[in-house]
Amino acid sequence: EDLYVRPAKALQAAKRTDDLLDLLTLRVRDYPQPQIWRNTLYILLQQVGGDKDMNLDILRLMRATGAMTDRGEYLEYAALATEAGFPGEVVAVINEGLAKNVFPKTDARFGPLLASQTDRANADRSALIADAGKPVTAANAKAARGTADALVGIGEYAKAIPIYEAVAATDPVAQYRLGVAQALAGQPDAAAASFAKVQGNRARLAKLWTIRAQAKTAPAAPAATPAT
């Protein structure tokens, strides 16, 4: 693993970020431990800057790989998901942080947010399930993707997949999130096939998600010493 760390530090010092991320992608493939994922995704977060939608997708992968450990990350995730209108996902993220003792139930920021978003999530759930059964047309493609996104946020991956499939051909974000839903549903081969079609600014994330999906079925990697 040190054979990755040394050149990675040199690339970072030279500000060759794209080359650095290419190398870190190989590193996390060979050593898919949470800390290795965290180092890689933290650099990717810095690269995308103020793109809130991309930041949320990166944090989703960070959460899926067990790499979220900091209160600030949970707070940013919850804030972005709240702003995007996914109360069920906000509730799930906050409850995960509480279960991991990242912050206490008495936290002044998370407590009120959890209360307000829980009410909204409960009110939205039945409507989401009903919307999942409606046919998807070109006229409602954007709304359909939003429904699928919300379904993934509450763990209803199987219901989200056919919605994404219906709009993926014309919606690059839906193509990417189709792969995410398939990966989370335990369909690594289908996820890899979907991620292979992703182009644009989520192509790197698609490669990383492919690694995450395949790592779930691969033998455990040997322990590695995290880089700073």
Side-chain angles (χ1 to χ4, degrees):
E1 199 253 347
D2 192 50
L3 294 176
Y4 287 120
V5 174
R6 291 186 181 185
K9 289 180 177 179
L11 290 170
Q12 189 169 25
K15 298 183 179 179
R16 293 169 55 185
T17 306
D18 285 339
D19 292 334
L20 170 63
L21 287 168
D22 287 340
L23 183 64
L24 293 180
T25 298
L26 296 175
R27 179 189 178 210
V28 81
R29 178 201 63 190
D30 292 342
Y31 300 94
Q33 286 87 15
Q35 184 60 44
I36 305 297
W37 276 107
R38 179 180 174 80
N39 291 347
T40 304
L41 294 173
Y42 188 77
I43 291 172
L44 191 55
L45 274 173
Q46 292 177 312
Q47 187 187 42
V48 301
D51 186 332
K52 293 181 179 180
D53 207 32
M54 276 289 291
N55 282 339
L56 183 54
D57 275 338
I58 294 169
L59 288 168
R60 285 166 171 157
L61 179 53
M62 187 177 285
R63 178 187 175 204
T65 55
M68 286 179 58
T69 59
D70 183 77
R71 176 185 179 276
E73 293 158 0
Y74 278 91
L75 190 59
E76 182 180 3
Y77 191 142
L80 289 171
T82 299
E83 186 175 342
F86 302 131
E89 188 170 5
V90 177
V91 171
V93 169
I94 294 176
N95 281 334
E96 178 185 292
L98 288 170
K100 291 183 175 180
N101 295 315
V102 179
F103 44 84
K105 291 182 179 180
T106 55
D107 190 290
R109 296 291 298 277
F110 286 105
L113 186 59
L114 179 61
S116 64
Q117 294 299 300
T118 296
D119 290 341
R120 293 178 184 176
N122 291 338
D124 286 356
R125 187 177 183 88
S126 58
L128 275 175
I129 301 301
D131 286 345
K134 296 179 181 178
V136 178
T137 65
N140 70 346
K142 185 176 180 179
R145 193 230 292 169
T147 297
D149 291 343
L151 287 166
V152 170
I154 62 173
E156 294 285 355
Y157 314 125
K159 289 182 171 62
I161 288 171
I163 301 176
Y164 284 133
E165 289 175 333
V167 299
T170 57
D171 185 341
V173 177
Q175 178 65 56
Y176 165 77
R177 290 181 180 162
L178 168 61
V180 172
Q182 290 166 328
L184 292 172
Q187 302 174 16
D189 293 339
S194 295
F195 286 134
K197 300 177 183 178
V198 175
Q199 299 180 351
N201 63 350
R202 283 176 171 77
R204 187 180 297 281
L205 266 180
K207 291 179 181 178
L208 289 167
W209 259 108
T210 301
I211 291 170
R212 185 271 183 191
Q214 294 174 339
K216 289 297 181 180
T217 58
T225 303
T228 57

